[in-house]
Amino acid sequence: MKIQKVIKCRIVHLTKVKRELLTQEYENLQKFLQGDNSVKLYSANKQQAKRYYKRVKPTKEYPLSIRKDLIKVKRKNTKIAKYWARIPVAGRRGGVWVAIKLHQDMPNDVEICESKLFRKNGEFYLHLTIQKEIDFVKVEPLDYILYATPSFTINERTVVIANDIGEANPIVSVELWGFGKQRKNVRFLGREVRAIRQHYNWLKKSVGRKKIKHALKWIKEHVKHKESRKVADVLHKATRSIVDRSVELRQQGFEPIIVFGNLKGVRRPRIKGKTRCRKNNRKVHTMPSYKIKHMLLYKALWAEIPVAIVNEAWTSKQCWRCHSTNTVVRKRMFKCRDCRLEYNRDLNGSVNIGNRLLGYMLGNRADVNQPQTPPEYSIPFSDSVCEGRSHRL
Ligand SMILES: [Zn+2]
């Protein structure tokens, strides 16, 4: 299968002439999108714009989309920059070569795909989409989705890195060794997210209270982006560390597989007569869980680490040790009434998720004793199960 990712880079050390050419191309694109057909725009860029931007808002600036055969990136190792990119513009044959600064080295065996040129605060940025071929396939048996090499099997060297993705603890990760007999290396990742979100919610409220002129606009410009950037940064680091750990395990000769849960087509049901309070609503709809799953999947696949997604229904309710569902889940605590297990609630969930995959893949469900997936309306919802909208990865 093919896997893509975006490398963001800043265009640096622009000469006056090149800056003018880029600015002209970029501004002409905006004019063209607003309906001015007479502007000078590189023909392929014009076609791209026609293809991509069907509906245009008058106040927004749109990036210049560059066709994959027209963008070129070269490693030149010059004094001012390691890498250079060629951007096609009207008025100069062969486009302009600009120095770019990447946040990471460009891998060797990749193909460059459609890329985008942005302008922000007078600076130009290039988002390069790169693609590579990995020998993974996506298989979808009834109960789970697996991305792995066709020959992938569970054996004694397999380390299942199970992750429960939730709200209070964005990621709870645990390693299951030896067919799930041993649990090691429990990690609580991304906890800073909560503090960041609380801080910004407080900020938004206080701005609202003071009735600052154009408060809403101010919030939109200053708070929203900063908040999501900070949250994204924390999540990037957290997901990166899981993938790094997997790579480390692989180097030691083990076979790691990353697994997380997902609710298939399950939407939080509305219960008659029970209104959700605003505070909870806000939390539900801005949950970072979708982002986490997406990041984890793509980062892992890029590093060629197998990934599995299992249905996470009941994983927070069931006891991982005795599989009983006669349990108490209160705040962050989990208690089993049958075997007296007391555990961190999210950790219990992630052990269950890992065990569920092992059960599916080893084909001995009796071992894992998974209850049948209940019909949609009866799925219990604790806050680790709420997602704003149903989605499938
Ligand atoms: Zn139990």
Side-chain angles (χ1 to χ4, degrees):
M1 64 189 284
K2 277 182 175 157
I3 174 103
Q4 289 190 338
K5 83 171 180 182
V6 176
I7 293 191
K8 295 175 182 172
C9 34
R10 198 157 60 93
I11 296 180
V12 290
H13 298 290
L14 274 176
T15 60
K16 209 180 155 198
V17 181
K18 286 179 180 176
R19 182 179 290 276
E20 271 167 17
L21 281 166
L22 285 188
T23 309
Q24 181 192 303
E25 189 77 6
Y26 189 82
E27 278 171 0
N28 282 350
L29 169 79
Q30 310 309 325
K31 284 181 197 156
F32 173 72
L33 290 173
Q34 297 306 332
D36 184 355
N37 270 311
S38 64
V39 291
K40 219 170 89 184
L41 201 62
Y42 188 74
S43 63
N45 291 344
K46 212 180 222 177
Q47 277 166 11
Q48 287 284 98
K50 267 189 206 159
R51 261 177 64 199
Y52 281 106
Y53 305 120
K54 298 275 191 249
R55 226 183 283 158
V56 179
K57 283 185 191 163
T59 48
K60 216 178 146 190
E61 273 198 359
Y62 290 87
L64 180 74
S65 170
I66 306 160
R67 220 167 64 196
K68 69 180 196 183
D69 54 316
L70 293 168
I71 186 133
K72 253 201 187 121
V73 176
K74 254 191 191 160
R75 195 185 170 119
K76 289 190 178 177
N77 285 333
T78 55
K79 241 183 210 166
I80 54 172
K82 241 184 189 174
Y83 294 96
W84 289 70
R86 190 186 73 180
I87 296 166
V89 292
R92 182 175 294 187
R93 262 186 123 180
V96 281
W97 279 99
V98 292
I100 50 173
K101 212 172 181 180
L102 278 65
H103 70 263
Q104 63 179 99
D105 260 9
M106 185 70 113
N108 287 324
D109 49 348
V110 294
E111 185 190 339
I112 292 176
C113 298
E114 248 160 46
S115 299
K116 280 176 179 162
L117 177 75
F118 288 84
R119 186 172 70 176
K120 208 176 167 191
N121 305 329
E123 294 278 326
F124 282 104
Y125 296 85
L126 198 59
H127 288 190
L128 294 166
T129 308
I130 56 174
Q131 178 176 285
K132 73 172 177 182
E133 179 81 38
I134 56 174
D135 61 348
F136 274 25
V137 285
K138 180 184 179 185
V139 283
E140 259 175 287
L142 271 177
D143 316 295
Y144 62 100
I145 304 171
L146 176 70
Y147 298 86
T149 54
S151 59
F152 180 84
T153 49
I154 302 265
N155 59 50
E156 62 283 347
R157 275 173 299 133
T158 305
V159 181
V160 176
I161 303 176
N163 303 283
D164 183 85
I165 291 159
E167 199 214 334
N169 294 312
I171 308 175
V172 180
S173 172
V174 59
E175 290 168 13
L176 306 182
W177 292 62
F179 301 106
K181 286 193 188 78
Q182 278 175 292
R183 290 159 303 282
K184 290 185 194 171
N185 205 4
V186 175
R187 291 193 296 167
F188 292 83
L189 299 163
R191 275 179 158 172
E192 305 91 314
V193 167
R194 205 183 169 90
I196 294 170
R197 294 173 75 203
Q198 271 166 3
H199 169 73
Y200 281 102
N201 283 322
W202 168 83
L203 207 63
K204 277 178 221 165
K205 260 190 212 156
S206 40
V207 169
R209 226 174 268 138
K210 277 182 194 155
K211 296 215 167 71
I212 295 173
K213 229 180 171 184
H214 311 302
L216 256 172
K217 203 180 158 199
W218 188 88
I219 289 169
K220 235 182 178 174
E221 278 168 14
H222 293 84
V223 180
K224 197 113 191 282
H225 290 296
K226 210 168 177 187
E227 180 185 1
S228 58
R229 242 199 348 260
K230 277 191 176 172
V231 169
D233 190 52
V234 170
L235 301 183
H236 270 300
K237 276 185 190 138
T239 47
R240 166 67 31 213
S241 82
I242 292 172
V243 175
D244 284 349
R245 169 68 182 156
S246 317
V247 172
E248 186 188 294
L249 284 168
R250 184 172 59 192
Q251 280 163 357
Q252 292 166 4
F254 297 103
E255 292 172 17
I257 173 168
I258 292 173
V259 53
F260 56 87
N262 200 30
L263 291 169
K264 283 185 190 170
V266 176
R267 223 192 156 118
R268 214 178 155 178
R270 254 204 118 89
I271 295 175
K272 241 186 174 175
K274 194 181 173 191
T275 45
R276 282 176 278 179
C277 67
R278 258 177 64 190
K279 194 177 158 195
N280 272 337
N281 249 348
R282 187 203 70 220
K283 276 187 185 167
V284 170
H285 290 290
T286 50
M287 285 249 307
S289 69
Y290 179 78
K291 264 188 202 157
I292 296 174
K293 288 169 187 176
H294 193 263
M295 283 177 184
L296 204 50
L297 178 64
Y298 283 90
K299 285 194 172 121
L301 292 183
W302 190 267
E304 299 183 41
I305 303 287
V307 178
I309 303 167
V310 299
N311 187 344
E312 71 186 350
W314 284 98
T315 49
S316 58
K317 194 82 174 65
Q318 197 178 22
C319 168
W320 71 263
R321 197 165 66 182
C322 71
H323 317 299
S324 161
T325 47
N326 182 15
T327 56
V328 191
V329 181
R330 197 163 292 148
K331 293 228 164 140
R332 302 333 300 167
M333 268 306 290
F334 175 93
K335 263 186 205 167
C336 175
R337 286 203 185 100
D338 287 349
C339 75
R340 301 275 153 211
L341 176 79
E342 285 190 19
Y343 227 60
N344 175 291
R345 162 204 175 150
D346 300 315
L347 181 56
N348 177 66
S350 61
V351 175
N352 272 333
I353 285 169
N355 279 340
R356 191 166 281 188
L357 177 80
L358 286 167
Y360 286 144
M361 290 212 64
L362 297 169
N364 50 348
R365 277 176 201 210
D367 235 341
V368 183
N369 190 21
Q370 193 212 334
Q372 290 224 317
T373 305
E376 276 190 24
Y377 54 83
S378 74
I379 286 174
F381 48 90
S382 53
D383 34 343
S384 66
V385 188
C386 46
E387 268 160 299
R389 58 199 166 106
S390 58
H391 57 258
R392 229 177 127 167
L393 280 170

